[in-house]
Amino acid sequence: MDLNVMFHPKSVAVFGSAGVGKLANVLANRLLDGGMNRVYIINPKGESVREAKGYTSLSELPAKADLAVIASPAKTVNDILENCGRSGVRAAVIISSGFSEVGNAEGERELTETARKYGIRFIGPNCAGMVCTHANLVATLETSPPSGGISLISQSGAIGGSFMSLAADDGVGIAKFISYGNGGDLTVLDLLRYLKTDDETRVAALYLETIPSGREFMHAVHDVSAVKPVVIVKSGRTNTGQRAALSHTGSMAGADVVCDSAMRQCGAIRVDTLQDLLDVCKAFATLPPARGKRVSIVTNSGGPGVMTSDKAETDGLLVEETSDCVKAKLREFLPSFAGIRNPIDLTVEGTGEQYGQAITTALEDSDAAIAIYIGTPYLDAMPVARGIASAAKKTGKPVAAVMQVGSDINESLIYLRKEGIPCFPSGERAVSSLAALARYEEKLLRSNEPCLVVTRPADVKKAFPEGENRLLEPVAMKLLRENGISVPDFVFSSEEEQAVQAVRELGYPVAVKVVSPQIVHKSDCGGVMLNIRNDEELRDSFRRMAKIGEGRDFKGIVAYPMLKPGKEIIIGLTSDPCFGPMIAFGMGGVYAEVLRDITFRVAPVSQNEAIKMIKEIKMYPLLCGVRGEAPVDMNALAEIIAKFSMLPFIYPDIREADLNPVFVYENGAMAADVRILGK
Amino acid sequence: MDLNVMFHPKSVAVFGSAGVGKLANVLANRLLDGGMNRVYIINPKGESVREAKGYTSLSELPAKADLAVIASPAKTVNDILENCGRSGVRAAVIISSGFSEVGNAEGERELTETARKYGIRFIGPNCAGMVCTHANLVATLETSPPSGGISLISQSGAIGGSFMSLAADDGVGIAKFISYGNGGDLTVLDLLRYLKTDDETRVAALYLETIPSGREFMHAVHDVSAVKPVVIVKSGRTNTGQRAALSHTGSMAGADVVCDSAMRQCGAIRVDTLQDLLDVCKAFATLPPARGKRVSIVTNSGGPGVMTSDKAETDGLLVEETSDCVKAKLREFLPSFAGIRNPIDLTVEGTGEQYGQAITTALEDSDAAIAIYIGTPYLDAMPVARGIASAAKKTGKPVAAVMQVGSDINESLIYLRKEGIPCFPSGERAVSSLAALARYEEKLLRSNEPCLVVTRPADVKKAFPEGENRLLEPVAMKLLRENGISVPDFVFSSEEEQAVQAVRELGYPVAVKVVSPQIVHKSDCGGVMLNIRNDEELRDSFRRMAKIGEGRDFKGIVAYPMLKPGKEIIIGLTSDPCFGPMIAFGMGGVYAEVLRDITFRVAPVSQNEAIKMIKEIKMYPLLCGVRGEAPVDMNALAEIIAKFSMLPFIYPDIREADLNPVFVYENGAMAADVRILGK
């Protein structure tokens, strides 16, 4: 079914008791107030609500209903859906609660089956409804906002209501609001994909407490954000917040650091609060693209200019000193006491014309501008607003306005909004939004890669023999080698004489380790001996290892040439409950332990993405060489990360694995130890 | 002069042209509108403004003026001040600009001298005036706010105006606003000290772009914040912001990390934005003290509860799961579907009575509560507001309210404010404010120490001989030893034979370093030799050092016993342009270089404070011992930090110094190298 029918119905049937104060009554009123002309009420008594006539069944309606809004008791919903199906209604919003959220998964499954049978698509159950301002559709109890380009999909109805209330207070326009409740049919993914093709939506906003099917979610976000920005609040960031979210939604939550990596990887713009969500969406919905990070600040007061500059640096925007050429032009029309270095400070005497000219001129150097006006008794706000709007029009670049103080700024705010200039109550908030704009454009420029290289290769293999879930070190090393991951030469021998022959060929000196499925921490029990220099020492080491392995299924020894020490790296593979296989990268030793200087990606990653991971860790300068050292071989390291990240896809029976340490050198890198565990 | 006269004048004389649109005219209007009864205007023409009668000189006034507000041209101000002096006016606000801010330091000095002569105290020049709501005094062009307990001292007039405008919009009361401009007489320090004793002020707010006389500032803040909180926005945090502040104020700025340390050290509460400043001040002005960090969240919607919990953890508050005892009590009056684990989720059906009871009950476990109400068509906001207020009254603990969505919340907001409950537009902002409350109480509990141990000891010494500014290593080591700082044994010898004798006594093996005032980086030129084991090797090393020192004023060699390696620490002394001597502490080697894992204090520090510094660095766990290592001797390390931090006070000719490295061991610590530079 084309979801357009759901969002642009010509007629709506509301199911439920229509008495005053009842849900269906409120919904009918909201629909009528919102401007929906054909609203029908259906309930056993056939009660009406205002001009919306009451009926006792769908079949009595004078015309077909395009959308059913169901607010009747849970036990009646499936029958209503059946009737809808038989009457040709193909879209429904099920407000009614009493389904999976209270353990009635069976009742919810029935709804889904009924809907499938008839080709009905529905939102809910247990949701706060939906809004499509462009279709005069207000099928929710929440605040009705003005019409515009922001669409919000929210896991929480109340958050949706709060968002629309903030938007209404700020005069910001909404295209759609969708509270998907339990997601019995249409999920956040379906809805997000719909927003991609929806011309009324300029920016997609999401509020989520849990992320369903992580990888599919990433693909959807990546896909949509190639066309329009996807801005997300994902709460439950902290342990405390997760506990609150769990007791509230009953869903599983993974680590937030993983979620954060995944969001960045698929191009989502993550923000922390609803206010941030609105600010950023407002900028995206109204402004032209920001082609770079240089921002000019034009103000009539030094203090706010300083604070805005501070925030700009914090958020990664560049407040560069004005170029000589622009300075010269500014001097032509600004008084000598005006500051022209950026911030450009017009002082309390700055006129509307000066604002306009200064912004236009400054934008010759910059990619975006923030105009700050602090009301003074000397100035009128309106001429300043006109100057700002004219500069924005003339330059075609993003200009954000900050208008503070004074009873006369309200008119200016209304004017600026009408002219498509987003207004913020502080320079800092303008900065956050422009920074998001600039980052999004930057992302668009470089996102020719898919966000996940591959999910399953054509033919998969088994890493583990039947019934086993731990690979012996030589087997694991062989698996790495077969998959192109650089490992040292090694020999495995189950008997002493064989070991001597093999190691002679390998060449002394060697390191020797015990091989036993029952010994995990080899060093702790003396199962590692270094610098074995000759046959005699090797025989001795073999016997010692056999002794250590006694009664613990001793398999033999593995011997490696002595490796020269390099920088110690850890690379790990884990599995997140939401996103599946994850790859982690960090410096080894105390860096990993104390600093937790580790970066994550949803696996697998390309070599390019692996290079980004390497550059992300705090200790990255150490890899670049400090105190005259040469930099390490980043490409060799990235190759190991990328190839290692493929393993869970080639071998789906791998649960987790780590290379600890990997030694990385000026030339080359090599996994010096490995652990691979099965499911 | 008692500043009370300045803030509570019974009559005000305004100096300046009184034509419409002129500064003095606007000021007279603001004073009259503000409720000041006796306003006189003085200008050459004797023009009046409304009921404020005009005069040509002070001597004509029907009664004495308590306060002069001067808005006449710069060149007339000194004469006016003279007249004030002669007429017994002892307080003035000089709005007029054209003094040191445009290079007219001489004109400003004249004002100061005139004021001193007559015992006049003044604010300004080049300021935006002042407000004292409790005295109906509005001597500013900026917005006039409602009366309350927050006093703001601002370096920027526009920021002051914005703050009062935000406050007025939010119904938050202000006691005083003071824009001190150039600070020609009364400085931010004088004004801050005045606020300490001012009963109308419950919380002092400061907006600063530069900090004058850093140490005096710290003492003042420390002193005031023992009685009432001091909340500060200090802008120019970043390089970009500092550049903006410098071109705007012309003042010197130090590093922000130093400023931040100083603020924490003296007990200031630093926030980033004006909105944060208002939020935090609002909480301090209205709420009782928070006796701990546990907070209960009572909500009628899960989503906002999750987001508030996230922010609480981020800000260091504890959203602990409700105790069994409180759970049992909650179950008695809450329906089964309510969440009772904290957040306590009353759901959309939560009544005002339930809010009241739930908050009261939850506060048996907690130190503060946040009540979140998201409007729904089922509920009225007023009963909820009453429930919240009654719980706050009953428990006597801090309760903050968050009321969102719905046209009926305005009445509740007004009611709650009247009841002394601060209202925030989001749970996150309520959290920030409660967290500041809790941190302030915590600080009060532990601040029995002065913020700076000492500034100058009774008798100071000279570290450097006349005309020199660099100590030779053995001299510097001796200075450390004399000041109780642990250093290794060492011998200094200027001749080979003497060296052999001395080192024999010291005992082999030793490390040998070249001593020359012209060689700073000894290792770089081969000036350090380790592990010298006998006389022969020593002679050889002496000759090598003499060779290296040839033509570079070779003084001899210094020899140390070989030190066992410990954890490498760096301790540094620098001088900040604003705060003077600073002490820095961090891990040595790559940690310092790559991580910049360094913490600062304004020197000197006590041993207690030094322990806090040690605990602050990211690599602190490394000092506590990882991988089975024993912890290092924190006390020995703290002793070195504390004693080293005293050096610039004992030897005022020391400009900077560092100990790099200090070796710290399981028992003891020792400075292994030292560099001391003079002024």
Side-chain angles (χ1 to χ4, degrees):
Chain A
M1 194 202 74
D2 181 1
L3 288 184
N4 273 319
V5 177
M6 175 169 268
F7 290 101
H8 296 84
K10 296 208 172 54
S11 54
V12 180
V14 179
F15 293 81
S17 299
V20 172
K22 296 285 186 176
L23 203 42
N25 179 295
V26 180
L27 284 164
N29 270 298
R30 300 302 306 280
L31 282 161
L32 292 168
D33 291 344
M36 179 56 60
N37 294 324
R38 287 194 271 167
V39 182
Y40 314 114
I41 313 287
I42 300 174
N43 53 57
K45 296 186 195 160
E47 292 168 301
S48 302
V49 175
R50 289 162 51 189
E51 60 267 45
K53 237 191 119 191
Y55 301 89
T56 59
S57 96
L58 263 180
S59 57
E60 296 168 12
L61 299 194
K64 208 193 97 189
D66 287 334
L67 175 69
V69 174
I70 306 173
S72 60
K75 61 182 189 304
T76 67
V77 175
N78 195 46
D79 285 348
I80 291 171
L81 220 48
E82 275 279 353
N83 282 324
C84 285
R86 281 198 289 265
S87 306
V89 179
R90 292 291 171 264
V93 178
I94 306 175
I95 312 276
S96 315
S97 55
F99 294 91
S100 63
E101 85 282 4
V102 292
N104 180 14
E106 178 52 30
E108 195 161 309
R109 208 173 310 121
E110 266 177 33
L111 301 187
T112 311
E113 279 163 20
T114 305
R116 295 262 155 83
K117 192 165 70 182
Y118 293 103
I120 297 174
R121 301 307 310 258
F122 70 82
I123 290 169
N126 183 37
C127 77
M130 47 124 84
V131 170
C132 177
T133 56
H134 297 266
N136 296 326
L137 176 69
V138 182
T140 181
L141 307 178
E142 307 294 347
T143 307
S144 176
S147 187
I150 304 171
S151 288
L152 173 71
I153 307 173
S154 178
Q155 189 168 2
S156 154
I159 291 287
S162 298
F163 183 81
M164 288 192 291
S165 169
L166 281 176
D169 288 350
D170 197 11
V172 174
I174 300 291
K176 292 176 177 59
F177 158 63
I178 313 150
S179 158
Y180 58 91
N182 298 354
D185 174 30
L186 289 168
T187 64
V188 60
L189 294 186
D190 300 319
L191 294 162
L192 179 58
R193 285 196 200 99
Y194 168 69
L195 293 186
K196 180 186 175 188
T197 57
D198 174 38
D199 291 338
E200 291 159 9
T201 299
R202 292 196 58 177
V203 48
L206 265 64
Y207 171 80
L208 298 171
E209 284 163 16
T210 52
I211 290 181
S213 10
R215 282 165 182 272
E216 227 189 304
F217 176 80
M218 288 175 72
H219 282 298
V221 171
H222 186 260
D223 187 38
V224 177
S225 71
V227 179
K228 53 188 80 170
V230 180
V231 191
I232 303 181
V233 171
K234 159 71 177 67
S235 66
R237 283 181 292 119
T238 61
N239 291 334
T240 309
Q242 283 197 353
R243 208 203 60 224
L246 295 187
S247 70
H248 157 56
T249 65
S251 315
M252 263 295 272
D256 191 63
V257 59
V258 164
C259 178
D260 210 55
S261 309
M263 296 244 196
R264 260 182 290 122
Q265 216 171 328
C266 66
I269 298 158
R270 188 179 186 181
V271 296
D272 280 348
T273 69
L274 277 197
Q275 188 64 66
D276 296 340
L277 186 67
L278 184 65
D279 281 353
V280 169
C281 287
K282 176 163 83 172
F284 276 118
T286 50
L287 290 178
R291 299 297 182 196
K293 302 200 157 183
R294 296 166 309 167
V295 65
S296 291
I297 300 169
V298 177
T299 180
N300 66 345
S301 167
V306 177
M307 298 181 80
T308 306
S309 301
D310 274 336
K311 185 69 159 85
E313 180 168 329
T314 308
D315 281 12
L317 291 183
L318 305 170
V319 186
E320 290 174 348
E321 183 156 346
T322 327
S323 68
D324 289 344
C325 164
V326 163
K327 268 184 192 152
K329 289 187 190 173
L330 289 171
R331 274 205 198 94
E332 280 174 27
F333 62 89
L334 290 180
S336 63
F337 50 81
I340 56 169
R341 293 176 61 189
N342 194 15
I344 295 166
D345 185 352
L346 304 176
T347 80
V348 289
E349 297 176 22
T351 63
E353 202 181 332
Q354 286 172 344
Y355 267 93
Q357 259 187 295
I359 296 167
T360 308
T361 311
L363 279 172
E364 292 177 20
D365 273 357
S366 284
D367 307 300
I370 297 174
I372 302 173
Y373 167 86
I374 310 290
T376 81
Y378 302 106
L379 290 174
D380 291 331
M382 265 311 286
V384 172
R386 278 194 214 99
I388 296 170
S390 79
K393 194 168 286 175
K394 200 179 292 176
T395 59
K397 291 185 176 179
V399 176
V402 177
M403 312 285 287
Q404 279 180 2
V405 192
S407 51
D408 71 331
I409 63 167
N410 285 336
E411 188 193 350
S412 315
L413 291 176
I414 293 165
Y415 167 81
L416 285 167
R417 279 174 203 142
K418 223 185 61 206
E419 295 291 312
I421 310 285
C423 301
F424 298 91
S426 72
E428 290 97 319
R429 277 169 59 182
V431 162
S432 303
S433 300
L434 288 182
L437 235 64
R439 279 197 302 272
Y440 178 66
E441 289 304 315
E442 198 176 51
K443 180 197 86 72
L444 283 188
L445 286 179
R446 59 175 163 70
S447 71
N448 36 14
E449 250 189 16
C451 70
L452 293 171
V453 184
V454 64
T455 36
R456 297 273 171 213
D459 56 339
V460 298
K461 309 176 196 172
K462 284 197 158 201
F464 298 91
E466 206 53 43
E468 289 182 24
N469 67 358
R470 183 179 291 279
L471 292 188
L472 291 177
E473 183 169 331
V475 180
M477 278 290 185
K478 191 161 154 283
L479 185 147
L480 295 181
R481 198 164 52 192
E482 284 167 4
N483 287 281
I485 295 166
S486 171
V487 298
D489 287 338
F490 65 89
V491 294
F492 167 67
S493 315
S494 52
E495 293 188 353
E496 187 179 319
E497 204 47 46
Q498 179 197 10
V500 171
Q501 293 303 326
V503 169
R504 269 186 202 157
E505 246 170 78
L506 188 67
Y508 289 107
V510 294
V512 163
K513 300 189 201 173
V514 65
V515 176
S516 148
Q518 292 173 30
I519 301 177
V520 180
H521 300 290
K522 295 177 285 275
S523 310
D524 297 354
C525 61
V528 179
M529 290 177 72
L530 300 177
N531 224 13
I532 306 295
R533 285 168 301 176
N534 51 43
D535 290 359
E536 192 185 342
E537 287 183 9
L538 185 74
R539 284 179 205 283
D540 172 59
S541 72
F542 191 95
R543 282 174 220 137
R544 285 222 240 166
M545 294 302 156
K547 185 96 186 164
I548 287 167
E550 217 168 46
R552 298 205 264 180
D553 196 10
F554 175 68
K555 300 290 190 188
I557 64 162
V558 60
Y560 300 91
M562 286 302 295
L563 294 181
K564 60 180 176 173
K567 292 267 183 291
E568 259 186 62
I569 300 294
I570 295 181
I571 304 175
L573 277 168
T574 54
S575 188
D576 179 79
C578 172
F579 293 98
M582 301 289 306
I583 179 112
F585 163 81
M587 293 289 294
V590 293
Y591 299 107
E593 273 173 59
V594 175
L595 288 177
R596 309 223 163 276
D597 186 15
I598 295 166
T599 183
F600 293 87
R601 288 291 188 287
V602 178
V605 293
S606 66
Q607 184 143 349
N608 275 344
E609 195 68 27
I611 290 277
K612 277 191 221 157
M613 293 178 78
I614 296 171
K615 288 184 177 170
E616 260 171 35
I617 63 167
K618 295 192 205 92
M619 295 305 293
Y620 172 64
L622 202 65
L623 298 178
C624 296
V626 289
R627 302 182 164 184
E629 284 175 346
V632 303
D633 188 338
M634 306 289 173
N635 288 325
L637 190 54
E639 195 184 335
I640 295 183
I641 296 171
K643 287 183 170 163
F644 192 59
S645 78
M646 274 303 296
L647 294 188
F649 302 91
I650 301 170
Y651 308 93
D653 54 348
I654 291 181
R655 177 167 59 90
E656 62 175 81
D658 53 51
L659 306 179
N660 181 10
V662 171
F663 286 126
V664 57
Y665 306 106
E666 198 179 328
N667 290 301
M670 195 169 267
D673 202 353
V674 58
R675 197 177 54 100
I676 300 181
L677 303 180
K679 280 178 174 159
Chain B
M1 194 200 75
D2 181 359
L3 288 185
N4 273 321
V5 176
M6 176 169 268
F7 290 101
H8 297 84
K10 295 207 172 53
S11 53
V12 179
V14 180
F15 292 82
S17 298
V20 172
K22 296 284 186 175
L23 204 43
N25 178 297
V26 180
L27 285 163
N29 270 297
R30 301 301 307 279
L31 282 161
L32 292 169
D33 291 345
M36 179 56 60
N37 295 324
R38 286 196 270 168
V39 181
Y40 313 113
I41 314 288
I42 300 176
N43 52 57
K45 297 185 197 160
E47 292 167 302
S48 301
V49 175
R50 289 163 49 189
E51 60 266 46
K53 238 193 116 190
Y55 301 89
T56 58
S57 95
L58 265 178
S59 56
E60 297 168 14
L61 298 195
K64 206 192 98 190
D66 287 335
L67 174 69
V69 174
I70 305 173
S72 61
K75 61 183 189 301
T76 67
V77 175
N78 194 47
D79 285 348
I80 291 171
L81 220 49
E82 274 281 352
N83 282 323
C84 285
R86 281 198 290 266
S87 305
V89 179
R90 292 289 171 266
V93 179
I94 307 176
I95 312 274
S96 315
S97 55
F99 295 90
S100 64
E101 86 281 5
V102 292
N104 181 12
E106 179 52 32
E108 194 162 311
R109 207 173 311 122
E110 267 178 32
L111 301 187
T112 312
E113 280 163 17
T114 305
R116 295 263 154 82
K117 190 164 74 185
Y118 293 104
I120 297 173
R121 300 309 309 256
F122 70 84
I123 289 170
N126 183 36
C127 77
M130 47 124 78
V131 170
C132 177
T133 57
H134 297 265
N136 296 327
L137 175 69
V138 182
T140 181
L141 307 179
E142 307 294 347
T143 308
S144 175
S147 187
I150 304 171
S151 288
L152 172 72
I153 306 173
S154 179
Q155 189 168 1
S156 154
I159 292 285
S162 297
F163 183 81
M164 288 192 291
S165 169
L166 281 175
D169 289 350
D170 197 12
V172 174
I174 300 291
K176 291 175 178 61
F177 158 62
I178 312 150
S179 159
Y180 60 90
N182 298 353
D185 175 31
L186 288 167
T187 65
V188 59
L189 295 185
D190 300 320
L191 294 162
L192 179 59
R193 285 196 199 98
Y194 168 69
L195 293 185
K196 180 186 175 188
T197 58
D198 174 38
D199 291 337
E200 292 159 6
T201 299
R202 292 195 58 178
V203 48
L206 264 63
Y207 171 81
L208 298 171
E209 285 164 15
T210 51
I211 291 180
S213 10
R215 284 167 180 269
E216 225 189 305
F217 176 80
M218 288 176 72
H219 282 298
V221 171
H222 186 260
D223 187 39
V224 177
S225 71
V227 180
K228 53 189 82 171
V230 180
V231 191
I232 302 182
V233 171
K234 159 73 177 68
S235 66
R237 283 181 291 119
T238 62
N239 291 334
T240 309
Q242 282 197 354
R243 208 204 57 221
L246 295 188
S247 69
H248 157 55
T249 64
S251 315
M252 261 298 272
D256 191 64
V257 59
V258 163
C259 177
D260 210 55
S261 310
M263 296 243 195
R264 261 182 289 121
Q265 215 170 330
C266 67
I269 298 159
R270 188 179 186 182
V271 295
D272 279 347
T273 68
L274 277 197
Q275 187 63 66
D276 296 341
L277 186 67
L278 183 65
D279 281 354
V280 168
C281 287
K282 176 164 83 173
F284 276 117
T286 49
L287 290 178
R291 299 297 181 197
K293 301 200 158 185
R294 296 166 310 165
V295 64
S296 291
I297 300 168
V298 178
T299 179
N300 66 345
S301 168
V306 177
M307 297 181 78
T308 306
S309 301
D310 274 336
K311 185 67 160 84
E313 180 169 329
T314 307
D315 281 12
L317 292 181
L318 305 170
V319 185
E320 290 175 348
E321 184 157 345
T322 328
S323 69
D324 288 345
C325 163
V326 163
K327 269 185 192 151
K329 290 190 189 172
L330 289 171
R331 274 203 198 94
E332 281 174 25
F333 62 89
L334 290 180
S336 63
F337 51 79
I340 57 171
R341 295 176 61 189
N342 194 19
I344 296 165
D345 186 352
L346 304 175
T347 79
V348 290
E349 296 175 23
T351 64
E353 202 180 331
Q354 286 172 343
Y355 266 92
Q357 259 187 295
I359 297 167
T360 308
T361 310
L363 279 172
E364 291 178 20
D365 273 357
S366 284
D367 307 298
I370 297 174
I372 300 172
Y373 168 84
I374 309 290
T376 82
Y378 303 104
L379 291 174
D380 291 330
M382 265 311 286
V384 172
R386 277 193 214 97
I388 295 169
S390 79
K393 194 168 284 176
K394 200 179 290 175
T395 60
K397 290 186 178 179
V399 177
V402 177
M403 312 285 285
Q404 278 179 2
V405 192
S407 50
D408 69 331
I409 63 168
N410 285 337
E411 187 192 350
S412 316
L413 291 176
I414 292 165
Y415 167 81
L416 284 168
R417 279 174 204 144
K418 223 185 61 207
E419 294 292 312
I421 310 285
C423 301
F424 297 91
S426 73
E428 290 98 319
R429 276 168 59 182
V431 162
S432 302
S433 301
L434 287 181
L437 235 66
R439 279 197 302 271
Y440 178 67
E441 288 306 315
E442 199 179 48
K443 180 199 86 72
L444 283 187
L445 287 178
R446 60 177 162 70
S447 71
N448 37 12
E449 247 190 17
C451 68
L452 293 171
V453 184
V454 63
T455 37
R456 298 270 170 215
D459 56 339
V460 298
K461 307 175 197 173
K462 284 197 158 201
F464 298 90
E466 204 55 39
E468 288 180 26
N469 66 357
R470 181 181 293 278
L471 291 188
L472 290 177
E473 183 170 330
V475 181
M477 280 288 184
K478 191 161 155 280
L479 184 146
L480 295 181
R481 197 163 55 192
E482 284 168 4
N483 287 280
I485 295 166
S486 170
V487 298
D489 286 339
F490 65 90
V491 293
F492 167 67
S493 317
S494 53
E495 293 187 354
E496 187 179 318
E497 205 47 45
Q498 178 198 11
V500 172
Q501 295 301 327
V503 170
R504 271 187 200 155
E505 246 171 76
L506 189 66
Y508 288 107
V510 294
V512 163
K513 300 190 202 173
V514 66
V515 176
S516 148
Q518 293 173 30
I519 301 178
V520 181
H521 300 291
K522 295 177 284 277
S523 308
D524 296 354
C525 61
V528 179
M529 291 177 74
L530 302 178
N531 224 15
I532 305 294
R533 286 168 302 179
N534 51 44
D535 290 0
E536 192 185 341
E537 287 182 8
L538 185 74
R539 284 179 205 284
D540 173 57
S541 72
F542 190 96
R543 280 174 221 141
R544 284 223 241 166
M545 294 300 157
K547 184 96 187 164
I548 287 167
E550 217 168 46
R552 299 205 264 182
D553 195 11
F554 176 68
K555 299 290 189 190
I557 63 163
V558 59
Y560 301 92
M562 286 302 296
L563 294 182
K564 61 179 177 174
K567 293 267 184 289
E568 259 186 61
I569 300 294
I570 294 181
I571 304 175
L573 276 168
T574 54
S575 186
D576 180 79
C578 172
F579 293 98
M582 301 289 306
I583 179 112
F585 163 81
M587 294 288 294
V590 294
Y591 299 106
E593 274 174 57
V594 176
L595 289 178
R596 309 223 162 276
D597 186 15
I598 293 166
T599 184
F600 293 87
R601 287 291 188 285
V602 178
V605 294
S606 66
Q607 185 143 348
N608 275 344
E609 196 68 29
I611 291 277
K612 277 192 221 157
M613 292 178 78
I614 296 171
K615 289 184 176 170
E616 259 170 36
I617 62 167
K618 295 191 203 90
M619 295 305 295
Y620 172 63
L622 201 66
L623 299 178
C624 295
V626 289
R627 304 182 161 183
E629 286 175 345
V632 303
D633 188 337
M634 308 287 174
N635 288 327
L637 190 53
E639 195 186 334
I640 295 183
I641 297 172
K643 287 184 170 162
F644 192 58
S645 78
M646 274 303 295
L647 294 188
F649 301 92
I650 301 170
Y651 307 93
D653 53 348
I654 291 181
R655 178 167 59 90
E656 62 175 82
D658 53 51
L659 307 178
N660 181 11
V662 172
F663 287 125
V664 56
Y665 307 106
E666 197 178 329
N667 290 301
M670 194 168 268
D673 201 353
V674 57
R675 195 178 56 100
I676 300 181
L677 302 180
K679 281 177 174 160

